[in-house]
Amino acid sequence: KPGYTFDGWCSDPLKTHRVTEITTESLGDVHLYAKWSVNSNTLSFDANGGTGTMDPVADVNGGEYAIPECTFTAPEGMVFKGWATAKDGAVIDGKATLAADTTFYAIWTPITYTVSFNRNGGSGKMFDAEGIVGEYTLPECTFTAPAGKVFKGWSVSKDNVSIVDKIVVTGDVIVFAIWEDDSSATETPAKPTETPAGD
C-alpha cells in the first residue's frame, strides 16, 4: 500500500497474532494475513529563492497529505504559485501522496497585470490583455469611432495628455482610445469648372 511498509505475517484477520514460523507439524491449510505499518515521514520545506523559514513536519503518516499554506516571503516581483517536489518541478494540486521523507519546494511565478481598453466615446469591445509585465506594445484599435471622428492613438488619460504606442506595465492599467476630427469628412468639395459660352 502506498505510504505503508510490510511489517510481517499474522494468523488472524485482526492482525494481532504475529507468526514468525510454521512448523511441519501444522495440519491443514494455513491462512496468513499481511500486516502493514504506516510510514512515519518527515516533510520539509525549501524557500527555493524566497526568504524565511518553515518548520519541518515530523511523523507524517503515509498516504495523502494536505499541503500547508506557504509562509515564505516571495522574491521581488514574484508571487507564490504552488509546491513541487523538485526545484523546477510541476506544481502539486492540493494534496500529495507521501511514501518517504519529502521536501516541498516553493514555486514562484512573476507578478503580472492586466491592460484594459476604454473606448472613450467609441463603440464596440476589446478584450483585456492579461499576464503583462514590463514594456508592452499597444495593439491596433478595433473600436468603432464616434461619428465624424477617427482614431488618433492610445493614451493613459482620457483627456489626451499624450499619445503612446508603448507603455511600461507595473500594475493594472487602463488605456483610452483618443479620437480626433475626421478631416476628410469636413473638406468642401471643389466647384466644377465652368465652360465659357460658345466653346
Side-chain angles (χ1 to χ4, degrees):
K1 298 171 60 175
Y4 288 75
T5 299
F6 177 67
D7 194 23
W9 296 105
C10 293
S11 60
D12 62 309
L14 297 178
K15 305 177 186 67
T16 57
H17 302 293
R18 192 181 302 272
V19 175
T20 58
E21 64 180 1
I22 299 175
T23 65
T24 56
E25 287 77 15
S26 297
L27 299 177
D29 296 336
V30 177
H31 193 113
L32 298 179
Y33 300 86
K35 181 177 177 61
W36 304 96
S37 294
V38 178
N39 294 340
S40 180
N41 306 308
T42 297
L43 182 60
S44 303
F45 305 93
D46 190 304
N48 198 19
T51 55
T53 59
M54 288 182 64
D55 293 332
V57 180
D59 299 325
V60 178
N61 292 336
E64 280 194 337
Y65 179 78
I67 305 172
E69 178 184 1
C70 175
T71 58
F72 292 128
T73 300
E76 184 175 359
M78 308 286 278
V79 66
F80 179 70
K81 182 178 182 181
W83 295 106
T85 54
K87 285 181 177 292
D88 56 354
V91 170
I92 298 168
D93 184 18
K95 295 183 178 180
T97 299
L98 305 182
D101 292 347
T102 303
T103 297
F104 283 145
Y105 296 86
I107 302 298
W108 311 103
T109 189
I111 297 173
T112 59
Y113 304 100
T114 298
V115 178
S116 302
F117 304 94
N118 187 299
R119 55 181 175 257
N120 196 23
S123 58
K125 180 176 178 59
M126 287 183 64
F127 292 106
D128 295 344
E130 299 178 337
I132 308 298
V133 65
E135 187 174 85
Y136 174 67
T137 300
L138 295 168
E140 177 185 359
C141 176
T142 58
F143 291 131
T144 300
K149 301 283 187 178
V150 293
F151 180 69
K152 181 179 180 181
W154 295 109
S155 174
V156 294
S157 168
K158 66 184 302 181
D159 299 320
N160 188 17
V161 173
S162 61
I163 298 297
V164 294
D165 57 7
K166 295 180 180 180
I167 56 175
V168 177
V169 179
T170 58
D172 292 341
V173 62
I174 300 173
V175 292
F176 298 85
I178 303 300
W179 312 103
E180 62 183 355
D181 293 335
D182 184 355
S183 58
S184 64
T186 58
E187 292 178 353
T188 303
K191 292 183 178 180
T193 304
E194 295 182 3
T195 304
D199 286 353

